[in-house]
Amino acid sequence: MAVVLLSTALVIVVALLAAAGAGKLARMEGATYPTALTRAAVAFTAVLTLAATVTAALAALLV
């Protein structure tokens, strides 16, 4: 149970870091705040989707 919680926490931290980086890069490129927030949300969602896909693939291999 602890491994699952730690893995989930790690994925969320990585997703937040990716979102912060995407938002910062968007602002450095001159994007408006709503656009930067949208890019950050897309990056956050992409990381979570990738983590879910990898988890599903590993679960299929281990079963």
Side-chain angles (χ1 to χ4, degrees), residues 18-56:
K24 178 65 176 175
L25 287 174
R27 285 297 297 155
M28 289 174 61
E29 291 176 351
T32 61
Y33 281 107
T35 303
L37 185 61
T38 301
R39 290 184 188 176
V42 168
F44 183 80
T45 306
V47 172
L48 291 183
T49 303
L50 179 62
T53 304
V54 169
T55 302

